Coordinates of all heavy atoms in Angstrom, one line a residue:
Chain X
T178 N -15.5 18.7 3.7 CA -16.2 17.4 3.8 C -15.5 16.4 4.8 O -16.1 15.8 5.5 CB -16.2 16.7 2.4 OG1 -16.5 17.7 1.4 CG2 -17.2 15.6 2.4
A179 N -14.1 16.4 4.7 CA -13.4 15.6 5.6 C -13.7 15.9 7.1 O -14.0 15.1 7.9 CB -11.9 15.6 5.4
G180 N -13.7 17.3 7.3 CA -14.0 17.7 8.7 C -15.4 17.3 9.1 O -15.7 16.8 10.2
M181 N -16.4 17.4 8.2 CA -17.8 17.0 8.5 C -17.9 15.5 8.7 O -18.7 15.1 9.5 CB -18.7 17.5 7.4 CG -18.8 19.0 7.4 SD -20.2 19.6 6.4 CE -20.3 21.3 7.0
I182 N -17.2 14.8 7.9 CA -17.2 13.3 8.0 C -16.7 12.9 9.4 O -17.3 12.1 10.1 CB -16.4 12.6 6.9 CG1 -17.2 12.7 5.6 CG2 -16.1 11.1 7.2 CD1 -16.5 12.1 4.4
Y183 N -15.6 13.6 9.8 CA -15.1 13.4 11.2 C -16.2 13.7 12.2 O -16.4 13.0 13.2 CB -13.9 14.2 11.4 CG -13.3 13.8 12.8 CD1 -12.6 12.7 13.0 CD2 -13.6 14.7 13.9 CE1 -12.2 12.3 14.3 CE2 -13.1 14.4 15.2 CZ -12.4 13.2 15.3 OH -12.0 12.8 16.6
G184 N -16.9 14.8 11.9 CA -17.9 15.3 12.9 C -19.0 14.2 13.1 O -19.5 14.0 14.2
V185 N -19.5 13.6 12.0 CA -20.6 12.6 12.1 C -20.1 11.2 12.4 O -20.9 10.4 12.9 CB -21.5 12.7 10.9 CG1 -22.2 14.0 10.8 CG2 -20.8 12.3 9.6
T186 N -18.9 10.8 12.0 CA -18.5 9.4 12.3 C -17.5 9.3 13.3 O -17.3 8.2 13.8 CB -18.0 8.8 11.0 OG1 -16.7 9.5 10.7 CG2 -18.9 8.9 9.8
G187 N -16.8 10.4 13.6 CA -15.7 10.3 14.7 C -14.5 9.6 14.2 O -13.6 9.3 15.0
T188 N -14.3 9.5 12.9 CA -13.1 8.8 12.5 C -12.7 9.3 11.0 O -13.6 9.7 10.3 CB -13.2 7.3 12.5 OG1 -11.9 6.8 12.1 CG2 -14.2 6.8 11.5
L189 N -11.5 9.2 10.7 CA -11.1 9.5 9.3 C -10.3 8.4 8.7 O -10.0 8.4 7.5 CB -10.2 10.8 9.3 CG -10.9 12.1 9.5 CD1 -10.0 13.2 9.7 CD2 -11.8 12.4 8.4
N190 N -10.1 7.3 9.5 CA -9.3 6.2 8.9 C -10.2 5.4 8.0 O -11.4 5.1 8.3 CB -8.9 5.3 10.2 CG -8.1 4.2 9.8 OD1 -8.6 3.3 9.1 ND2 -6.9 4.1 10.3
Y191 N -9.7 5.1 6.8 CA -10.6 4.4 5.8 C -11.2 3.1 6.4 O -12.4 2.9 6.3 CB -9.8 3.9 4.6 CG -9.1 4.9 3.7 CD1 -8.2 4.5 2.7 CD2 -9.4 6.2 3.9 CE1 -7.6 5.4 1.9 CE2 -8.8 7.1 3.0 CZ -7.8 6.7 2.1 OH -7.2 7.6 1.3
A192 N -10.4 2.3 7.1 CA -10.9 1.0 7.6 C -11.9 1.3 8.7 O -13.0 0.6 8.7 CB -9.7 0.2 8.2
D193 N -11.7 2.3 9.5 CA -12.6 2.6 10.6 C -13.9 3.1 10.0 O -15.0 2.8 10.5 CB -12.0 3.6 11.5 CG -12.5 3.3 13.0 OD1 -12.9 2.2 13.3 OD2 -12.5 4.3 13.7
L194 N -13.8 3.9 8.9 CA -15.0 4.5 8.3 C -15.8 3.3 7.7 O -17.1 3.3 7.8 CB -14.6 5.4 7.1 CG -14.3 6.8 7.4 CD1 -13.8 7.6 6.2 CD2 -15.6 7.5 7.9
A195 N -15.1 2.3 7.1 CA -15.8 1.2 6.5 C -16.5 0.4 7.6 O -17.7 0.0 7.4 CB -14.8 0.3 5.7
R196 N -15.8 0.2 8.7 CA -16.4 -0.5 9.8 C -17.7 0.2 10.3 O -18.7 -0.3 10.5 CB -15.4 -0.6 10.9 CG -15.9 -1.4 12.1 CD -15.0 -1.1 13.3 NE -14.9 0.3 13.6 CZ -15.8 1.0 14.3 NH1 -16.8 0.4 14.8 NH2 -15.6 2.3 14.6
F197 N -17.5 1.6 10.4 CA -18.6 2.4 10.9 C -19.9 2.2 10.0 O -21.0 2.1 10.5 CB -18.2 3.9 10.9 CG -19.2 4.8 11.3 CD1 -19.4 5.1 12.6 CD2 -20.0 5.4 10.4 CE1 -20.4 6.0 13.0 CE2 -21.0 6.3 10.7 CZ -21.2 6.6 12.1
V198 N -19.6 2.3 8.7 CA -20.8 2.2 7.7 C -21.4 0.9 7.8 O -22.7 0.7 7.9 CB -20.3 2.5 6.3 CG1 -21.4 2.2 5.3 CG2 -19.8 3.9 6.2
A199 N -20.6 -0.2 7.9 CA -21.2 -1.5 7.9 C -21.9 -1.8 9.2 O -23.0 -2.4 9.2 CB -20.1 -2.6 7.8
E200 N -21.4 -1.2 10.3 CA -22.1 -1.5 11.6 C -23.4 -0.6 11.8 O -24.2 -1.0 12.5 CB -21.1 -1.1 12.8 CG -20.1 -2.2 13.0 CD -19.2 -1.9 14.1 OE1 -19.4 -0.8 14.8 OE2 -18.2 -2.6 14.4
N201 N -23.4 0.5 11.1 CA -24.6 1.4 11.3 C -25.5 1.3 10.2 O -26.2 2.3 9.8 CB -24.1 2.8 11.6 CG -23.4 3.0 12.9 OD1 -24.0 2.8 13.9 ND2 -22.1 3.2 12.8
E202 N -25.6 0.2 9.5 CA -26.5 0.1 8.4 C -28.0 0.4 8.8 O -28.4 -0.1 9.9 CB -26.5 -1.3 7.8 CG -27.1 -1.4 6.5 CD -27.5 -2.8 6.1 OE1 -26.9 -3.8 6.7 OE2 -28.4 -3.0 5.3
G203 N -28.6 1.3 8.1 CA -30.0 1.6 8.4 C -30.1 2.8 9.4 O -31.1 3.4 9.6
A204 N -28.9 3.1 10.1 CA -29.0 4.2 11.0 C -27.8 5.1 10.8 O -27.2 5.6 11.7 CB -28.9 3.6 12.5
L205 N -27.5 5.3 9.5 CA -26.4 6.2 9.3 C -26.7 7.6 9.7 O -27.9 8.0 9.6 CB -26.0 6.2 7.8 CG -25.3 4.9 7.3 CD1 -25.2 5.0 5.8 CD2 -23.9 4.9 7.9
P206 N -25.7 8.4 10.1 CA -26.1 9.8 10.5 C -26.7 10.6 9.4 O -26.5 10.3 8.2 CB -24.7 10.4 10.9 CG -23.7 9.3 10.6 CD -24.3 8.1 10.2
T207 N -27.5 11.6 9.8 CA -28.1 12.4 8.8 C -27.1 13.1 8.0 O -26.1 13.6 8.5 CB -28.9 13.5 9.6 OG1 -29.5 13.0 10.7 CG2 -30.0 14.1 8.7
G208 N -27.3 13.1 6.7 CA -26.4 13.8 5.8 C -25.2 13.0 5.4 O -24.4 13.5 4.7
F209 N -25.2 11.8 5.8 CA -24.0 11.0 5.4 C -23.9 10.8 3.9 O -22.9 10.9 3.3 CB -24.0 9.6 6.1 CG -22.7 8.9 5.9 CD1 -21.6 9.2 6.7 CD2 -22.6 7.8 5.0 CE1 -20.4 8.5 6.5 CE2 -21.4 7.1 4.9 CZ -20.3 7.5 5.6
Q210 N -25.1 10.6 3.3 CA -25.2 10.5 1.8 C -24.7 11.8 1.2 O -23.9 11.7 0.2 CB -26.6 10.3 1.4 CG -27.2 9.0 1.5 CD -28.6 8.9 1.1 OE1 -29.3 9.9 1.0 NE2 -29.1 7.7 0.7
A211 N -25.1 12.9 1.7 CA -24.7 14.2 1.1 C -23.2 14.3 1.2 O -22.5 14.8 0.3 CB -25.3 15.3 1.8
L212 N -22.6 13.9 2.3 CA -21.1 14.0 2.5 C -20.4 13.0 1.5 O -19.4 13.4 0.9 CB -20.7 13.6 3.9 CG -21.1 14.6 4.9 CD1 -20.7 14.1 6.3 CD2 -20.4 16.0 4.6
A213 N -21.0 11.8 1.3 CA -20.5 10.9 0.3 C -20.5 11.5 -1.1 O -19.5 11.4 -1.9 CB -21.2 9.6 0.3
V214 N -21.6 12.3 -1.4 CA -21.7 12.9 -2.8 C -20.7 14.0 -2.9 O -20.0 14.2 -3.9 CB -23.1 13.3 -3.0 CG1 -23.2 14.0 -4.4 CG2 -24.0 12.1 -3.1
A215 N -20.5 14.8 -1.8 CA -19.6 15.9 -1.8 C -18.2 15.5 -2.0 O -17.4 16.1 -2.8 CB -19.7 16.7 -0.5
L216 N -17.9 14.3 -1.4 CA -16.5 13.8 -1.6 C -16.4 13.3 -3.0 O -15.3 13.4 -3.6 CB -16.3 12.6 -0.6 CG -14.9 12.3 -0.1 CD1 -14.2 13.5 0.4 CD2 -14.9 11.2 0.9
L217 N -17.4 12.7 -3.5 CA -17.4 12.3 -4.9 C -17.1 13.4 -5.8 O -16.4 13.3 -6.8 CB -18.8 11.6 -5.3 CG -18.8 10.8 -6.6 CD1 -17.8 9.7 -6.5 CD2 -20.2 10.3 -6.8
F218 N -17.7 14.6 -5.5 CA -17.4 15.8 -6.3 C -15.9 16.1 -6.4 O -15.4 16.3 -7.5 CB -18.2 17.0 -5.7 CG -17.7 18.3 -6.2 CD1 -18.2 18.9 -7.4 CD2 -16.8 19.1 -5.4 CE1 -17.7 20.1 -7.8 CE2 -16.4 20.3 -5.8 CZ -16.8 20.8 -7.1
V219 N -15.3 16.0 -5.2 CA -13.8 16.2 -5.2 C -13.1 15.2 -6.1 O -12.2 15.6 -6.9 CB -13.3 16.2 -3.7 CG1 -11.9 16.4 -3.7 CG2 -14.1 17.2 -2.9
F220 N -13.4 14.0 -5.9 CA -12.6 13.0 -6.6 C -12.9 13.0 -8.1 O -12.1 12.8 -9.0 CB -12.9 11.6 -6.1 CG -12.5 11.4 -4.7 CD1 -13.2 10.6 -3.8 CD2 -11.4 12.0 -4.2 CE1 -12.8 10.4 -2.5 CE2 -11.0 11.9 -2.9 CZ -11.7 11.1 -2.0

Side-chain angles (χ1 to χ4, degrees):
Chain X
T178 316
M181 291 194 166
I182 286 175
Y183 183 79
V185 296
T186 66
T188 184
L189 286 169
N190 184 298
Y191 298 170
D193 212 27
L194 275 174
R196 181 196 56 80
F197 177 88
V198 172
E200 280 178 6
N201 291 294
E202 195 201 333
L205 284 175
T207 322
F209 191 75
Q210 281 181 336
L212 290 177
V214 176
L216 205 56
L217 191 63
F218 164 82
V219 178
F220 297 146

